[in-house]
Amino acid sequence: MGIVVVMSTSKTLLALLESEPAHGYSLKHRYDTALGQPRKIGFGQIYNALASFEKRGLAEVESVEVEAGPARKRYRITAEGVEAVEDWLCTPEPPEAYASAALLTKVSVALLSGRDPQLVLTSQREAHMSRMRDLTEQRRGAGGAHLLAITYELSHLDADLRWIDESGQRLQQGRMSYG
Amino acid sequence: MAESEMRVAASDLHLAFGETRALAGVDVAVRAGEAVALMGPSGSGKSTLLHCLSGVLVPDSGQIKLLGRPLGEMSEAERSAFRLRNVGMVFQFGGLVPELTLAENVTLPLQLVGTKARVAKARADELLDALGIGELGGHVAGTVSGGQAQRAAVARALAHGPAVLLADEPTGALDTVTGEVVLDQLLGLAGEMDTAVVVVTHDNRVAAHCDRIVTITDGRVLTPETVG
């Protein structure tokens, strides 16, 4: 089977199946605790992903536990699934030059409409700094993947802030006009 | 903020170098135990403000009070002695005496204020230990790494338990991870001593460690960000 293209959350879930088989509940717990994501993943997303893995041959049902309540399927990754994980991990993400596209759009619209874009930049700067402060505090007690996730977000916020600061300076120096 | 709580209080500072207006009516106040980041573009006046707060530069007008005492009412000698006792400074490149050991560098400000050599040495050892470089006290400053030298510079700045710590890009010469460790240690120790800290920085990640950010542009304070 060729490499199956799936979204990165699904790929992450597939990769988390690699260490040991899991049913939906334990896979959710593994995802929420291992990756330090700010938002917990929903059960619906987990079960959709598992059904999709099974359908595509990336994972298979290892056993079915039948106790009180509905049957619980325990999934394990297949060789094709491992190949998909390896391919995903080895393929660089496309560099996203416009990750903060919404902010850029707002500043552009402010310039176009004759409003003060500094107000947009200033309020965004405060929001970014506030988030950076929260993350800096969280970093003190964090380790492993959670620490890496925090520093990843810090680095990206920092890059946005440098763009905000540079834009603010250029606007102030009158070097920027729309078009 | 009640004036009695303030370690540093500057009001309506003006300073020009010839035609260049460096400070144009700056107000800033820092209370005990608080860490404030001074940010702004190059040439905005933030380092000039820091040097005014330390008493090294004298503003053309306006008033600076350290521990409630107006610097402008002191003679140069009084100001220098007052600074020696009450202010600690950390610079981007440490500013250690390269021929002296780390411990000797740390004891230097203590000896200048008359602390006995034995007491000063014990204090230096204690601080170098707290900063994780206790075993390097006997190493000559010129032979240690940048991160180790900067930790020693932090120890030297805090050795005499200053009321105010002024830092100019204290982690600017260090990589991100080392800089973060040094900054955590600097702010942690300063917090234990209830020292007021002012950090000049270009680095948003450094500023995120501070309680408050004051942004300066063209010698003026923009609306200061107030955060818990």
Side-chain angles (χ1 to χ4, degrees), chain A residues 125-127 129-130 132-134 136-137 139-140 147 150-151 154-155 157-159 161-162 165 169 172, chain B residues 39 41-42 180 184 187 202-205 207-213 215 217-218 222-225 227:
Chain A
R125 186 172 214 295
E126 286 175 11
M129 281 308 307
S130 174
M132 276 188 100
R133 193 173 278 106
D134 289 346
T136 300
E137 193 58 41
R139 179 191 54 80
R140 295 198 171 96
L147 177 60
I150 288 172
T151 52
L154 277 170
S155 298
L157 289 171
D158 190 27
L161 280 166
R162 279 185 269 125
D165 289 344
Q169 274 181 265
Q172 195 178 25
Chain B
M39 299 192 82
S42 304
E180 200 168 80
D184 275 344
L187 293 176
H202 281 99
D203 188 337
N204 294 300
R205 292 180 69 165
H209 283 73
C210 297
D211 301 306
R212 201 153 50 89
I213 297 170
T215 306
T217 302
D218 291 337
L222 296 180
T223 307
E225 182 196 4
V227 262

Side-chain angles (χ1 to χ4, degrees), chain B residues 64-150:
Chain B
I64 298 168
K65 287 183 179 176
L66 283 188
L67 297 167
R69 291 195 53 192
L71 290 183
E73 292 176 11
M74 298 179 194
S75 68
E76 199 172 327
E78 284 172 332
R79 208 165 50 238
S80 185
F82 187 79
R83 184 169 63 238
L84 209 54
R85 279 194 305 275
N86 297 299
V87 179
M89 300 281 294
V90 180
F91 304 99
Q92 184 171 357
F93 295 104
L96 299 178
V97 182
E99 295 81 7
L100 298 182
T101 66
L102 297 188
E104 286 166 346
N105 268 285
V106 178
T107 57
L108 216 51
L110 291 169
Q111 291 177 325
L112 288 173
V113 293
T115 308
K116 287 180 181 169
R118 187 174 50 80
V119 176
K121 177 68 170 59
R123 176 67 175 150
D125 289 345
E126 179 193 353
L127 274 168
L128 290 172
D129 261 345
L131 287 156
I133 50 169
E135 77 284 4
L136 298 178
H139 286 55
V140 174
T143 65
V144 301
S145 74
Q148 291 161 345
Q150 202 61 349

Side-chain angles (χ1 to χ4, degrees), chain A residues 20 38 87 91 120 145 155 171 175:
Chain A
E20 60 176 314
D87 185 70
T91 305
V120 178
S155 298
L171 284 163
R175 289 183 191 166

Side-chain angles (χ1 to χ4, degrees), chain B residues 13-17 22-23 45-60 64 71-72 76 79 83 89:
Chain B
L13 296 187
H14 290 258
L15 177 61
F17 300 108
L23 300 177
K46 53 190 189 301
S47 289
T48 300
L49 174 60
L50 196 79
H51 288 120
C52 284
L53 297 181
S54 73
V56 170
L57 282 176
V58 179
D60 296 332
I64 298 168
L71 290 183
E76 199 172 327
R79 208 165 50 238
R83 184 169 63 238
M89 300 281 294

